[in-house]
Amino acid sequence: MSRKGASARANAARIVDSVRSRGRSLDAALESIDSDDDSFVRMLAYGTLRTHFRLEDRRRQLLDRPMRSRDSVIAALIDVGLFQLSDTRVPDHAAIAETVEAARVLGKPRLAGLVNAVLRRAQRESFEPEGQEARFNHPTWIVERLKSDWPDDWRQILDANDERAPMWLRVNTGKTTLAAYKAVLDEAGIDYRQHTALPQALRLEAPIPVTSLPGFADGLVSVQDGGAQIAAPWCRGDGAARMLDACAAPGGKSAHLKELADPDDALTCIDVDARRASAIRETFDRLGLKATIKVADASNKEDWWDGRPFDAILLDAPCSASGVIRRHPDIKLLRRESDIAALAEVQMKLLNSLWQTLKPGGRLLYVTCSVFKDENERIVEAFLDATPDATENDLLQNNNIRDVMRRQARGYQILPGTDGMDGFYFACLKKAT
Ligand SMILES: C[S@@+](CC[C@H](N)C(=O)[O-])C[C@H]1O[C@@H](n2cnc3c(N)ncnc32)[C@H](O)[C@@H]1O
């Protein structure tokens, strides 16, 4: 038994507890932990949260009485232990010994015996999930909404949400070529595959730390999901001298827009969150790109707009992120059904306000990483009904892209897991001349 192994389990339990009991995002909880075994802690925390509803039911069945709320970190630790037993290759004896020891690291030595008893019982007994949340490993409101929005696909979406997301790269064709970067990966022994619809994308066969990516620091490559790589070329179309990315942080799609742009094309990036907006600057510096970055509420054009209209606008709107649950499993715990109507209001406000900054003949690409129709085609439908100079432009860049997307009454949807991509919605809106 090692102190390091126990401390990794204790850290994973702290992270899980911080999300579940204090409502912190997984990203924020991970940032606050100083660990020397980062990737293992991340794997345990992600996995435990990804499997939360099933593990919680299992723990409930194994315990004679519920844990006290002041021992919530031990409930989280038990779940970290159960996750190791059911979903990882960690040998059972090590999983149990280190997890029991972690109770002491967490300052709860008197509960070490309980952790041991529960994990040993789990090892002996089989498990039958009770109730819908445990069976589908999702909160009921998400299951019901998916059933209603996607009657033929909801099971597939639930399964995709519980998969580990692959790592996609976007090769910076401003600095290198896809062929040259593939040769670099071959040389480094990193396996990948290409996608016929995405000219800059490579999907790695196994994720690796960003710091191990050849040429990352020099801006040859960025990490970006394949579905996300559809946005920039679509928004830019045949060319756009003045572009706006209205909800830009951390800058993945903005950087892609600028990589594709002509040297004189100008890009303005806005984000309401100053901390997140500073990540845009870091991304642009690494890639050697330039943009005007502003911290502002994009729906309040008096605060940031100089009155000169844009040729193309990317509105990657704040949303439930229900299409990227596999990357952010904490969404299943932190999002509430009541958030959806509030988000829809913000999305509509952004759309209405940004439309006024678009040139006649210009294009606005509305994007969300949601699979809920209330944030997607219903927003676009209502906007088109109320906006006489707006029409949907349903032309796609290539037919291979058509194959990964579902045509909706308005716009297109990629369901999570399609060709290894995240779930995204896109609608391209054109302003009359
Ligand atoms: C989906 S994320 C954008 C991701 C980004 N486009 C990328 O590809 O890296 C949505 C962003 O919108 C920002 N946001 C939310 N409300 C906003 C508003 N009213 N004005 C500007 N930005 C906003 C959030 O801070 C968040 O960074």
Side-chain angles (χ1 to χ4, degrees):
M1 193 163 45
S2 73
R3 181 80 192 164
K4 202 172 153 202
S7 129
R9 272 83 176 176
N11 276 334
R14 285 190 187 105
I15 293 165
V16 168
D17 185 44
S18 173
V19 172
R20 295 199 311 205
S21 307
R22 274 179 278 142
R24 292 187 82 184
S25 75
L26 175 53
D27 284 344
L30 280 164
E31 259 176 44
S32 67
I33 297 282
D34 186 18
S35 160
D36 52 4
D37 200 359
D38 232 23
S39 59
F40 186 60
V41 173
R42 287 176 75 89
M43 184 278 283
L44 292 177
Y46 265 89
T48 304
L49 287 169
R50 185 176 290 127
T51 334
H52 163 81
F53 292 91
R54 197 151 45 81
L55 296 174
E56 186 181 49
D57 185 46
R58 176 128 223 233
R59 169 169 39 86
R60 196 183 44 75
Q61 291 185 34
L62 290 165
L63 283 168
D64 296 331
R65 53 192 145 84
M67 305 281 306
R68 292 174 304 186
S69 59
R70 69 166 190 248
D71 294 326
S72 61
V73 74
I74 296 298
L77 180 66
I78 290 175
D79 293 0
V80 168
L82 293 172
F83 170 70
Q84 292 168 76
L85 293 179
S86 58
D87 293 81
T88 71
R89 289 199 205 133
V90 179
D92 284 9
H93 63 88
I96 295 176
E98 306 284 13
T99 306
V100 170
E101 181 60 19
R104 291 184 238 281
V105 177
L106 289 166
K108 303 267 183 183
R110 280 190 303 164
L111 292 174
L114 176 75
V115 175
N116 186 43
V118 169
L119 296 182
R120 290 201 182 280
R121 195 170 156 198
Q123 223 186 349
R124 290 192 306 270
E125 293 177 10
S126 63
F127 169 56
E128 203 45 60
E130 285 169 8
Q132 173 164 299
E133 291 204 337
R135 225 160 9 99
F136 294 132
N137 192 38
H138 277 73
T140 298
W141 75 269
I142 290 186
V143 176
E144 293 308 321
R145 201 169 261 264
L146 289 177
K147 279 184 180 170
S148 152
D149 283 356
W150 298 99
D152 298 328
D153 305 281
W154 62 276
R155 281 306 292 260
Q156 173 205 323
I157 298 172
L158 293 179
D159 289 345
N161 289 348
D162 288 344
E163 293 288 319
R164 293 178 71 170
M167 183 170 183
W168 287 82
L169 308 182
R170 187 189 75 236
V171 175
N172 181 358
T173 46
K175 287 201 171 190
T176 183
T177 62
L178 194 73
Y181 194 74
K182 277 163 61 179
V184 171
L185 290 182
D186 290 338
E187 177 81 9
I190 298 170
D191 295 332
Y192 56 84
R193 62 176 87 169
Q194 222 176 310
H195 195 287
T196 48
L198 306 170
Q200 290 173 263
L202 296 172
R203 173 157 59 123
L204 298 190
E205 295 295 350
I208 58 171
V210 163
T211 45
S212 310
L213 266 180
F216 180 80
D218 300 326
L220 295 192
V221 71
S222 297
V223 176
Q224 186 180 42
D225 180 75
Q229 294 188 43
I230 291 176
W234 196 350
C235 178
R236 189 168 180 277
D238 296 332
R242 276 179 55 76
M243 298 176 286
L244 171 71
D245 186 347
C247 294
K253 298 184 190 74
S254 315
H256 194 191
L257 272 171
K258 207 64 213 296
E259 283 172 10
L260 298 172
D262 294 333
D264 291 339
D265 293 347
L267 171 67
T268 301
C269 300
I270 299 181
D271 205 279
V272 75
D273 182 328
R275 206 170 89 94
R276 283 175 62 84
S278 64
I280 308 176
R281 172 65 57 215
E282 281 166 32
T283 303
F284 273 60
D285 286 349
R286 182 180 61 81
L287 293 166
L289 300 170
K290 288 201 165 39
T292 303
I293 300 170
K294 297 185 180 184
V295 176
D297 175 349
S299 67
N300 214 349
K301 65 182 190 317
E302 290 69 29
D303 288 353
W304 61 268
W305 191 42
D306 63 6
R308 289 193 298 152
F310 296 98
D311 301 301
I313 297 177
L314 178 62
L315 170 52
D316 188 11
C319 71
S320 63
S322 55
V324 291
I325 285 176
R326 61 193 194 142
R327 289 194 195 276
H328 302 282
D330 49 330
I331 291 170
K332 287 199 272 192
L333 287 113
L334 302 180
R335 228 359 123 211
R336 298 280 168 263
E337 178 152 40
S338 55
D339 297 341
I340 307 301
L343 284 163
E345 219 170 279
V346 172
Q347 290 152 358
M348 191 55 105
K349 193 171 166 212
L350 280 162
L351 206 39
N352 277 318
S353 174
L354 292 167
W355 194 251
Q356 297 166 49
T357 71
L358 185 66
K359 223 182 223 173
R363 218 173 17 259
L364 183 150
L365 186 70
Y366 177 79
V367 182
T368 73
C369 55
S370 173
V371 290
F372 296 148
K373 298 201 173 186
D374 280 355
E375 299 180 274
N376 295 342
E377 63 184 81
R378 289 186 195 122
I379 293 286
V380 172
E381 184 80 59
F383 175 75
L384 288 170
D385 283 351
T387 314
D389 61 352
T391 49
E392 188 191 350
N393 177 357
D394 62 359
L395 275 183
L396 297 174
Q397 301 134 273
N398 64 52
N399 277 330
N400 295 332
I401 285 182
R402 193 180 300 276
D403 290 343
V404 294
M405 299 203 286
R406 309 282 185 98
R407 181 73 177 122
Q408 301 299 288
R410 295 292 183 188
Y412 292 86
Q413 179 81 52
I414 305 179
L415 292 179
T418 307
D419 286 5
M421 296 184 193
D422 286 344
F424 275 103
Y425 172 83
F426 303 94
C428 186
L429 306 173
K430 190 150 172 65
K431 194 167 190 170
T433 45

